[in-house]
Amino acid sequence: MKKKYFLFLSLLLLSFLALADTVKTEPEYAKRGAASCLKCHDELPITLIYQTPHAQQTDPDTPFAQHQCESCHGASPQHIPGVLEGEKKPAPSIVFGLQSNTPIEQQNQQCLNCHQQGLRMHWQGSQHQFADLACASCHKIHVKEDNVLIRQNQADVCFTCHGEQRAQLYRRSRHPIKEAKTICSDCHNPHGSSGEKLLVENTINETCYRCHAEKRGPFLWEHPPASEDCSICHTAHGSTQPALLNNRAPFLCQQCHSGVESFHTNVLYDGSGVSSSGGQSRLLAKSCLNCHSNIHGSNHPSGVRFDR
Ligand code: HEC
Ligand code: HEC
Ligand code: HEC
Ligand code: HEC
Ligand code: HEC
Ligand code: HEC
Ligand code: HEC
Ligand code: HEC
Ligand code: HEC
Ligand code: HEC
């Protein structure tokens, strides 16, 4: 009998504690939403957010259709009251940026609550997530237009950390990134990808075929390195060689075609210039490509040597 009472009482106590707990953790959002914040923050650039998709109240998925400012900054009752002079004001629950005391993971989770899908499917475990980047490292929220989403301005956002790629764009041949005809996010998904190097496709070749479809083949005569990996011969961003090549012919070709295997290369094209029948002149201009011009593959019935 006593035992039963004890059980009943402790169950009662437990459920009361559980209830108290939920009451305690139910976030206390400002009843007047953004108006509570704008009392003090009605200033630029903060209010520029009203000109962005985030402020579209007609779309129920936006922050402004929900807890407004606090959908991102978290319920912040501690921050709203005014403080006396000299008193320290407690910060809002979520403050964004790399300088903030809010852990990066918590900042990002606040955005991912609404944006986990689509391009961000591979964010967890991605190189940028692993390197502790915040969403706010690239995205600005209190601006009319977010630079990283504007084709002409995107690269500058990336260059703040990737100086090497900026330097590559000043080389002799390069992808037209400065002109914004090709931009970083045409080839990379900065949020993470299933391929290497944050590429938008699973392989380098699939990424290149997006725009250079004619190089995909199938060809009657395939040149194995081309169908295997474009980066055997090309760099992606910029090169001191023409056509983004990572080496010049004949050296480029002689990495693989150096020996007795090809009847003429070892004799005529070693760069020494010692040859009969004008070997030296065949090294001029496009070198091996003077004759083997369809280097990515050929569909000509007799194009087995890629010369037509
Ligand atoms: C009574 C005035 C007042 C109200 C109301 C107010 N703030 Fe603030 N807020 C301030 C002041 C003052 C600062 C600067 C505090 C500091 O630098 O220590 C600030 C700073 C901030 C910061 C930057 C914090 C940091 O550490 O950099 C954010 C974000 C912020 N407020 C968001 C909000 C949000 C969201 C609301 C509404 C939920 C809000 N504020 C309501 C006065 C206010
Ligand atoms: C979509 C998420 C989001 C919403 C909604 C949002 N903010 Fe912010 N807020 C941010 C981010 C991210 C930053 C960091 C700076 C930036 O991206 O512009 C920030 C920065 C701030 C700052 C600090 C600015 C500074 O100079 O450091 C204040 C103050 C602020 N927000 C207030 C507000 C107020 C007030 C509202 C509502 C009117 C609001 N925020 C709504 C995401 C948001
Ligand atoms: C309450 C949900 C919600 C939260 C929280 C939220 N967003 Fe959004 N966001 C949306 C919706 C809805 C849109 C508009 C529809 C769309 O583009 O998906 C949007 C649009 C965007 C866009 C595209 C803007 C444009 O101009 O096209 C970016 C970038 C973005 N959000 C980044 C962020 C970042 C970074 C954070 C965290 C600081 C964040 N969002 C927090 C719901 C949210
Ligand atoms: C390294 C820079 C970088 C980081 C970090 C980053 N983004 Fe982006 N984000 C971009 C770029 C670039 C685009 C444009 C991509 C495109 O158009 O293919 C973009 C586009 C978006 C868009 C709009 C396009 C869409 O998917 O609807 C949203 C929303 C977004 N990012 C949310 C986030 C969130 C949430 C985080 C943090 C988890 C984040 N981003 C982190 C660079 C970044
Ligand atoms: C035409 C497609 C393409 C464009 C545009 C592009 N990339 Fe790449 N990027 C690649 C490929 C392919 C690789 C992997 C092979 C390599 O390292 O060359 C790569 C590699 C990288 C790497 C890793 C380098 C390393 O040594 O591991 C970084 C960082 C990078 N890109 C940044 C950028 C930035 C920033 C931009 C925009 C300014 C950009 N990329 C534009 C295709 C591209
Ligand atoms: C706040 C700094 C920062 C910004 C901004 C930034 N990155 Fe990165 N990025 C990093 C760090 C850190 C790494 C990981 C270390 C490394 O490989 O350099 C990285 C790695 C990469 C890689 C190589 C991944 C690999 O496997 O080696 C690529 C590609 C890349 N970033 C592309 C971009 C693009 C595109 C943008 C612009 C949309 C961008 N990054 C903006 C810091 C940044
Ligand atoms: C988003 C589209 C796009 C993607 C993806 C792309 N390219 Fe390009 N590529 C271009 C454009 C645009 C040009 C410039 C064409 C022109 O000027 O006529 C170009 C030019 C080139 C050139 C000639 C450069 C010169 O100086 O003559 C080479 C080589 C090249 N791309 C290789 C690649 C490789 C390798 C990949 C994969 C890593 C790739 N491209 C991915 C758009 C793309
Ligand atoms: C065996 C070395 C090699 C490989 C592998 C290779 N290329 Fe090339 N590519 C070249 C050479 C050499 C040139 C310069 C041709 C010329 O000057 O006539 C070139 C030129 C180009 C050009 C610019 C001229 C044109 O033909 O449009 C593009 C674009 C290109 N390659 C894309 C690719 C793509 C995409 C891949 C991967 C599918 C690839 N290349 C693989 C050697 C190669
Ligand atoms: C990464 C190694 C590699 C590079 C670099 C390379 N090739 Fe090849 N090439 C091959 C392979 C493998 C074959 C196929 C050989 C076979 O079928 O016996 C081939 C076949 C050929 C053939 C046809 C030969 C035959 O036996 O039918 C020619 C011509 C050729 N390559 C020219 C070139 C030229 C010119 C370059 C420089 C622009 C070049 N290759 C760069 C690997 C390479
Ligand atoms: C003047 C034109 C010309 C130049 C320049 C030239 N080749 Fe050739 N190459 C040929 C012809 C023609 C054949 C086919 C010979 C045959 O079928 O007997 C051939 C055959 C080949 C073969 C296949 C050889 C075999 O044994 O089946 C390879 C590999 C090759 N060339 C590579 C190269 C490389 C690498 C260079 C540059 C170092 C080069 N070629 C420069 C005309 C040229």
Side-chain angles (χ1 to χ4, degrees), residues 117-142:
Q117 298 310 309
L119 288 177
R120 266 123 349 248
M121 242 157 51
H122 298 286
W123 171 257
Q124 303 301 343
S126 71
Q127 291 86 330
H128 279 149
Q129 187 259 340
F130 194 70
D132 262 344
L133 258 69
C135 309
S137 302
C138 293
H139 291 289
K140 291 285 160 279
I141 296 296
H142 293 279

Side-chain angles (χ1 to χ4, degrees), residues 19-294:
L19 197 72
D21 206 40
T22 51
V23 168
K24 211 172 70 202
T25 54
E26 182 65 39
E28 206 184 303
Y29 290 106
K31 288 199 184 64
R32 293 171 55 240
S36 313
C37 312
L38 292 177
K39 219 168 57 187
C40 302
H41 291 293
D42 189 7
E43 67 208 348
L44 293 175
I46 304 304
T47 48
L48 288 177
I49 197 173
Y50 282 99
Q51 300 176 42
T52 70
H54 276 139
Q56 289 301 324
Q57 265 173 294
T58 48
D59 176 351
D61 294 336
T62 63
F64 277 75
Q66 300 176 19
H67 300 294
Q68 310 210 323
C69 313
E70 290 175 303
S71 297
C72 290
H73 291 286
S76 303
Q78 76 283 7
H79 175 74
I80 292 180
V83 290
L84 300 172
E85 225 183 284
E87 227 178 339
K88 192 159 166 23
K89 192 173 177 65
S93 301
I94 312 271
V95 178
F96 295 94
L98 295 177
Q99 316 305 327
S100 151
N101 288 330
T102 310
I104 301 283
E105 205 185 321
Q106 199 183 344
Q107 293 179 36
N108 291 352
Q109 191 51 51
Q110 205 68 6
C111 311
L112 289 169
N113 286 343
C114 298
H115 290 298
Q116 179 75 64
Q117 298 310 309
L119 288 177
R120 266 123 349 248
M121 242 157 51
H122 298 286
W123 171 257
Q124 303 301 343
S126 71
Q127 291 86 330
H128 279 149
Q129 187 259 340
F130 194 70
D132 262 344
L133 258 69
C135 309
S137 302
C138 293
H139 291 289
K140 291 285 160 279
I141 296 296
H142 293 279
V143 289
K144 214 154 83 185
E145 285 190 291
D146 185 2
N147 271 336
V148 86
L149 301 180
I150 302 175
R151 286 187 73 85
Q152 287 76 9
N153 302 346
Q154 180 190 89
D156 284 330
V157 177
C158 310
F159 291 155
T160 56
C161 301
H162 294 294
E164 199 182 319
Q165 278 68 32
R166 173 195 264 135
Q168 287 166 346
L169 294 192
Y170 287 92
R171 292 186 179 160
R172 167 176 176 182
S173 74
R174 55 185 181 81
H175 265 115
I177 294 173
K178 280 193 278 192
E179 297 79 356
K181 281 195 209 151
T182 320
I183 61 171
C184 314
S185 64
D186 288 336
C187 293
H188 296 287
N189 181 352
H191 308 105
S193 80
S194 49
E196 56 169 334
K197 305 285 178 193
L198 294 173
L199 290 173
V200 289
E201 302 284 354
N202 282 328
T203 64
I204 289 182
N205 280 37
E206 287 300 326
T207 305
C208 308
Y209 295 151
R210 274 196 166 192
C211 300
H212 301 291
E214 78 289 355
K215 300 285 188 286
R216 184 196 282 273
F219 297 106
L220 195 53
W221 308 108
E222 301 253 346
H223 193 195
S227 40
E228 191 190 319
D229 183 352
C230 310
S231 73
I232 290 173
C233 299
H234 294 289
T235 61
H237 310 109
S239 168
T240 49
Q241 306 299 331
L244 284 166
L245 290 168
N246 52 29
N247 207 336
R248 71 173 75 235
F251 310 111
L252 177 70
C253 316
Q254 285 171 333
Q255 290 169 50
C256 301
H257 301 289
S258 53
V260 285
E261 158 232 354
S262 51
F263 80 107
H264 52 31
T265 49
N266 55 339
V267 187
L268 300 180
Y269 305 100
D270 62 356
S272 69
V274 195
S275 77
S276 59
S277 66
Q280 176 84 324
S281 70
R282 290 178 184 180
L283 279 178
L284 296 176
K286 295 177 131 189
S287 183
C288 316
L289 297 155
N290 283 329
C291 304
H292 304 289
S293 55
N294 288 310

